[in-house]
Amino acid sequence: MGSDDSPFDDVSADRDYLRVLLTAVCVVAVVLATATLPILSPGGTETPMESLVPLPQESPFGSAGGASTGGGGGQLGALNPGSQTSVGGSLGGGDSPYRSQDTEPHFTVTSSEPAYWRTGAYETYTGTGWDGRADPRAYEGPLAVDGMADTTVDYEVQLARSATSLPTVWRPKSVSRDDVLVTAYGAVTSERPLPAGTTYSATSVTPPDDPDVLRTSGRDYPDAVESRYTGVPASTSAQVGPFTDRLTEDSDSPYETAATIERWLEANKNYSLNVSQQPEDDVASEFIFQMDRGYCEYFATSMVVMLRSQDIPARYVVGYSTGERTGQNRYTVRGMNAHAWVEVYFEGVGWVRFDPTPGRERLESERQAMEDSSQEYSAAESGSPGEEFAVGTPTETPTDGTGQEPGGSGDEDTETGADGADDGTDGSGDDQSASRSGEFVVELNRTATPGAAVAATVTRDGAPVEGAAVAFNGEPVGTTGPDGTVSGTVPYEAELTITVDAPGDAAALVAPSVPRDGTRAFAVAGPRAQQSTNTSYELNTTASVTVTGDAVTGGEVVVTATVDGVPVRDGGLWLDGERVATTNRRGRATVTLPTEPGNVTVAVERDAVSGNTTVVLERLAVATSPTLPLALPATGQRVNATMDGEPVSNATVEVDGEPAARTGATGRTTVGMPFAASTTVTVSKYGQTATATVGGLFVNAAGVLAVSGTLLAGAVVGARRRQVTPGTLRAWVRAARELAVGALVGLAAAVDGLLGGLRTRARLTAAALRDLFAGRRSPSALLEAARAWVDARLSAAEAAASGALGTDAEEADGAPAARVTIREAWTRLLAQVSLRRYWTRTPGDIAAHAIERDGLPPAAVRTVRDAFRAVEYGQRDPQEHVAAVEDAIRAIESAAGTQDATDDDAEGRS
């Protein structure tokens, strides 16, 4: 393809210069484009340059989530939450990871059940964000579980991105790594960022979320919890406090307060990632009173502040929602799943998750992001608690103008403390029972429920009656004070009779036996003479019994008994007719379930009040299957442990009585079979054992040997019929080996040629540029050389497209065939060289080794070397080298003794 009229002495070399020059220009363009991508890339995504250049990481010590201070997540999203975060954007100036629509996976989880994946929590509200600085401590084994436990979750996580905070389910109990830290907020962190591909397993114990259990919690919080998690700035409290007071005035328990706030936020604020109003001084106040829409950071912050204004401990938590279910017990969690929610502290229970962000809108936003990225996404398969947005509350609740349920709640229990004062009743009188007869009226501040603390107020002609003696079912409860009120506890009976004895003028006020439809007028017996009556008022005596914890054989559970939300105190707890415990002031008792599978009746009784529930203790089951088509000695056997079809994780697996493995999060594992005729696989968990026998191992092995022998015999017979001799087989093997070696050598030579060519062309390009800048070459000469190089490439492409590389007859000048001949000659030379790692050497090094170490003819070796260089690196016409190369390679193979051996072998085959 060369020309003597070229402006350069060697046009082929100049074309090489131009090609390398163009390549360098392209590389510079790519680098510049990559450097500008952060301006255009979505928040939470990683630019190509960032994936290549390691960025410095700050120390995670003192962080809430175990990440660098001052960060808001940055490129790591919620995997690096930081010890401080603003609402509406990170303190580092980047976009908030919690409004990112990045669809790239951040990690995958294999879990026994779906959950939220928690990475950090925060304590102090600053007005514009959160601070959660605390010194972490080294993880030294299983963590203590504070509060009640509901279920145990086993899971395995594989990071798809670098992380300084490990996603865990609340509350983590154990982690498979010993190089991690644990913060005061229960986050598991790493001192140094863990790289993508890191895997770990963990076990967590979840708190109960049953409303019947949470309603029984009072306000006797630990001092450390109350002092750390109820504070808000005074300016915020002055604005948010009165509003929340009015919103929750009918709530009789911390749970009802939390549920009311959660419902109000869901019903009155819209979800949107496009928030035009950025926070200025007080995020919570601005969102509650001024903004119509926001995303998870705004919702969670506002709920925490509103709860704290009611002296209920709460904290701001970040991490990820469940993500997308992409397999059995498998979830893919993406950048767009980064989320913020709320944890509320309940006495005797611990921290419980609430999520005030409207879940359906958030899931729709995630689905739209996946569609925009041309990926399928199914909310039904996401496993996100978006279908259970509130803990024990409906996702859609009719509301009045304030966002509350019409009429409020007002049916919950309030307790009387040791001093006899009502510690939970608000005394609003919205839910009242009244008795009227002539001059006397008795009003109750709430529905009469067994065990409930009620306040009875006695009035005559609208004025309170002081000094009236009041009795419930004949038992005196006290004398009315100046305001005509006396407090008492409704007895655990089927009927309630209220008797009032006034000084010098008494009347018995009795509630009629009518359905509880809201009409609570009492009948009054007698005129103004002192008297009493035994007319009864019917009470609800059916208790609701809830079992919290792992309901498995030998498991320890908490039983809670309530009547209309009021605890059944000092009630007897029975298991299958045997009394085993007594409920406490919260209506709770801890018991151990039987060790045998089956149905267990759990009952609570106190006087006329009773209730029961049935707990099903499932039986452990095990199934095995071979990893090969047949079970054979010394092969693998898959083991699957289940209870009622659900996986049993962390179960002990034994083979013939010897511990062999533990099941993973999916209840599966693989064990090896011994060299025996049969074996027994035993799985143990929850005090139960399940056994499976794998038999016929030797029989299966004998069958495999018999089939293999038959096939081998058939092959031998067929070979003899076709006169296939051992020599023929050896020749086939040798030919196959030579073919494989030739292919590898050719591939290595091609790679080496490419690398060597790049180096050579880089040197030539540098020389050409020096000539250009020195004035020895003109720009027009460079353009002419570039044009000639492009023409050569187009001609080569056309030849390849038309199949010109097939035969010499198809190409007039024979160049493609000659090129193949020279490459084949170089490959044949490499076959005679004793250099092992020849692909790491240049052609010159290989040739020197062939001459000095292998004793091959120097002139012939140099001929092949020079021809190969000319064709591969110089892009010169190969035709002129063909004859010399063919002679040279024959001389080399003759000297090495391979040519004669090849000829002899050919004669033998003929």
Side-chain angles (χ1 to χ4, degrees):
M1 302 294 295
S3 174
D4 295 335
D5 297 331
S6 171
F8 291 102
D9 295 335
D10 191 333
V11 174
S12 297
D14 292 336
R15 290 169 182 166
D16 293 337
Y17 302 154
L18 264 297
R19 183 167 61 178
V20 175
L21 176 61
L22 292 175
T23 301
V25 171
C26 292
V27 171
V28 172
V30 170
V31 172
L32 292 176
T34 303
T36 61
L37 277 179
I39 302 174
L40 305 176
S41 60
T45 59
E46 184 179 44
T47 66
M49 181 61 72
E50 290 167 333
S51 66
L52 298 175
V53 181
L55 300 177
Q57 300 288 342
E58 296 185 30
S59 171
F61 289 106
S63 68
S68 58
T69 61
Q75 295 298 327
L76 298 181
L79 294 175
N80 178 31
S83 64
Q84 294 175 289
T85 185
S86 64
V87 175
S90 71
L91 294 178
D95 286 340
S96 167
Y98 310 106
R99 67 187 298 182
S100 169
Q101 291 293 276
D102 177 20
T103 60
E104 291 300 317
H106 279 200
F107 58 94
T108 57
V109 186
T110 301
S111 176
S112 56
E113 64 179 63
Y116 274 22
W117 319 111
R118 187 179 186 271
T119 57
Y122 297 86
E123 171 185 340
T124 304
Y125 176 62
T126 63
T128 58
W130 292 91
D131 192 311
R133 282 172 286 194
D135 293 332
R137 59 182 177 85
Y139 171 72
E140 297 177 346
L143 304 172
V145 176
D146 180 24
M148 294 175 62
D150 189 12
T151 60
T152 300
V153 183
D154 293 292
Y155 49 100
E156 299 169 359
V157 179
Q158 181 175 27
L159 298 176
R161 290 196 175 190
S162 174
T164 56
S165 190
L166 280 62
T168 58
V169 179
W170 179 251
R171 299 178 301 247
K173 184 177 180 180
S174 63
V175 184
S176 62
R177 301 183 65 91
D178 57 4
D179 59 346
V180 295
L181 308 171
V182 181
T183 72
Y185 312 109
V188 179
T189 71
S190 175
E191 182 177 358
R192 298 176 180 176
L194 298 178
T198 298
T199 60
Y200 61 92
S201 59
T203 298
S204 295
V205 179
T206 64
D209 58 3
D210 192 304
D212 285 339
V213 175
L214 300 181
R215 283 191 181 100
T216 63
S217 293
R219 295 175 175 267
D220 188 12
Y221 305 117
D223 292 340
V225 171
E226 188 170 15
S227 62
R228 294 178 63 178
Y229 298 104
T230 57
V232 291
S235 58
T236 303
S237 180
Q239 289 184 287
V240 176
F243 173 78
T244 311
D245 291 343
R246 295 190 298 271
L247 179 67
T248 62
E249 62 183 356
D250 294 329
S251 299
D252 292 336
S253 66
Y255 169 76
E256 287 300 327
T257 299
T260 299
I261 294 172
E262 183 181 50
R263 288 194 295 266
W264 184 84
L265 287 168
E266 289 178 337
N268 291 274
K269 299 296 179 180
N270 296 319
Y271 177 81
S272 175
L273 295 175
N274 299 317
V275 179
S276 59
Q277 179 177 348
Q278 294 298 319
E280 296 179 358
D281 299 322
D282 190 336
V283 174
S285 297
E286 292 177 25
F287 186 64
I288 294 169
F289 299 112
Q290 301 177 26
M291 300 173 63
D292 295 326
R293 62 189 67 249
Y295 50 94
C296 60
E297 289 183 296
Y298 293 91
F299 283 91
T301 295
S302 299
M303 182 171 179
V304 173
V305 171
M306 294 173 78
L307 285 167
R308 290 186 175 189
S309 73
Q310 304 302 300
D311 295 325
I312 297 175
R315 63 190 180 192
Y316 180 82
V317 182
V318 297
Y320 295 81
S321 60
T322 303
E324 182 183 14
R325 188 190 298 272
T326 52
Q328 183 178 10
N329 301 109
R330 184 176 178 84
Y331 305 89
T332 298
V333 185
R334 310 173 191 275
M336 67 180 183
N337 298 126
H339 193 44
W341 60 91
V342 179
E343 285 178 353
V344 184
Y345 189 87
F346 290 92
E347 177 198 351
V349 175
W351 294 98
V352 178
R353 172 175 56 84
F354 281 71
D355 189 354
T357 304
R360 289 186 178 86
E361 291 83 351
R362 180 171 57 82
L363 290 176
E364 180 59 32
S365 174
E366 294 176 357
R367 185 188 298 107
Q368 185 62 49
M370 292 294 286
E371 291 178 357
D372 292 343
S373 63
S374 301
Q375 301 182 60
E376 295 182 358
Y377 186 77
S378 174
E381 296 179 353
S382 70
S384 174
E387 286 78 65
E388 314 176 356
F389 304 123
V391 181
T393 61
T395 57
E396 293 183 3
T397 304
T399 61
D400 58 20
T402 64
Q404 301 183 76
E405 292 183 66
S409 88
D411 289 333
E412 306 310 324
D413 172 44
T414 58
E415 294 198 358
T416 302
D419 58 358
D422 185 358
D423 64 356
T425 303
D426 58 15
S428 64
D430 289 342
D431 185 11
Q432 299 173 341
S433 296
S435 174
R436 301 176 183 273
S437 177
E439 300 175 350
F440 284 97
V441 175
V442 174
E443 293 180 330
L444 299 181
N445 67 328
R446 59 157 301 143
T447 301
T449 302
V454 297
T457 302
V458 181
T459 60
R460 173 186 291 174
D461 297 330
V465 177
E466 181 179 3
V470 179
F472 289 174
N473 285 6
E475 292 292 330
V477 296
T479 303
T480 58
D483 59 353
T485 301
V486 65
S487 296
T489 301
V490 179
Y492 292 91
E493 302 294 344
E495 298 175 338
L496 170 64
T497 298
I498 301 178
T499 303
V500 177
D501 294 322
D505 197 3
L509 307 179
V510 182
S513 299
V514 295
R516 302 168 65 214
D517 57 359
T519 303
R520 302 185 180 93
F522 284 73
V524 179
R528 298 180 183 275
Q530 184 173 355
Q531 59 181 355
S532 63
T533 181
N534 293 323
T535 303
S536 299
Y537 173 57
E538 185 178 356
L539 302 177
N540 180 19
T541 58
T542 301
S544 172
V545 179
T546 303
V547 176
T548 303
D550 285 329
V552 295
T553 51
E556 188 175 81
V557 296
V558 176
V559 179
T560 304
T562 60
V563 177
D564 295 337
V566 179
V568 179
R569 305 177 183 88
D570 299 322
L573 195 154
W574 307 71
L575 292 183
D576 284 339
E578 178 183 358
R579 181 163 180 165
V580 295
T582 301
T583 60
N584 61 14
R585 67 188 183 94
R586 297 298 179 193
R588 302 171 188 161
T590 302
V591 297
T592 301
L593 296 174
T595 58
E596 292 297 324
N599 295 344
V600 179
T601 300
V602 181
V604 175
E605 298 179 3
R606 178 174 177 184
D607 301 332
V609 175
S610 65
N612 65 78
T613 188
T614 299
V615 176
V616 180
L617 303 181
E618 301 292 348
R619 186 176 298 276
L620 181 66
V622 60
T624 62
S625 60
T627 55
L628 298 177
L630 290 175
L632 300 173
T635 60
Q637 193 79 2
R638 289 185 287 263
V639 180
N640 185 22
T642 59
M643 274 185 169
D644 191 30
E646 295 298 321
V648 178
S649 58
N650 204 32
T652 301
V653 181
E654 297 180 347
V655 177
D656 288 339
E658 295 294 329
R662 285 186 175 273
T663 57
T666 59
R668 298 185 178 92
T669 190
T670 300
V671 297
M673 294 289 97
F675 192 79
S678 65
T679 188
T680 300
V681 178
T682 303
V683 174
S684 303
K685 188 71 181 288
Y686 305 126
Q688 298 187 54
T689 59
T691 302
T693 301
V694 182
L697 299 179
F698 284 166
V699 174
N700 293 342
V704 171
L705 291 175
V707 172
S708 301
T710 302
L711 294 176
L712 180 60
V716 171
V717 172
R720 288 181 177 178
R721 289 179 178 178
R722 290 169 175 75
Q723 297 181 351
V724 177
T725 64
T728 304
L729 294 176
R730 287 194 297 271
W732 288 353
V733 172
R734 186 163 53 250
R737 182 182 60 196
E738 291 175 355
L739 180 62
V741 170
L744 293 175
V745 169
L747 177 62
V751 173
D752 178 72
L754 176 62
L755 296 177
L758 289 176
R759 289 194 297 268
T760 301
R761 288 161 191 160
R763 291 195 298 269
L764 294 175
T765 300
L769 291 175
R770 285 195 300 269
D771 290 342
L772 176 64
F773 293 136
R776 294 190 294 270
R777 297 289 187 270
S778 66
S780 60
L782 290 176
L783 292 176
E784 180 62 28
R787 188 180 300 109
W789 180 83
V790 171
D791 292 340
R793 301 281 69 74
L794 292 176
S795 299
E798 292 174 358
S802 62
L805 299 180
T807 61
D808 292 344
E810 294 172 342
E811 181 71 23
D813 61 5
R819 185 181 301 277
V820 172
T821 300
I822 291 173
R823 287 175 176 167
E824 289 179 351
W826 178 254
T827 302
R828 289 162 67 180
L829 170 62
L830 292 175
Q832 311 304 325
V833 177
S834 61
L835 192 63
R836 292 185 178 181
R837 298 175 58 85
Y838 56 84
W839 53 86
T840 64
R841 306 298 181 90
T842 65
D845 294 337
I846 295 173
H849 184 93
I851 296 171
E852 297 171 1
R853 298 293 183 87
D854 299 324
L856 298 179
V861 171
R862 295 190 184 99
T863 298
V864 175
R865 179 199 64 188
D866 295 342
F868 181 72
R869 283 176 170 173
V871 172
E872 292 299 316
Y873 302 162
Q875 297 295 325
R876 293 181 173 85
D877 187 358
Q879 187 62 34
E880 58 182 298
H881 300 283
V882 171
V885 167
E886 290 178 347
D887 294 337
I889 195 61
R890 280 196 294 269
I892 291 171
E893 291 178 339
S894 176
T898 58
Q899 187 65 45
D900 293 339
T902 303
D903 295 340
D904 293 341
D905 186 66
E907 291 176 1
R909 287 195 300 271
S910 63

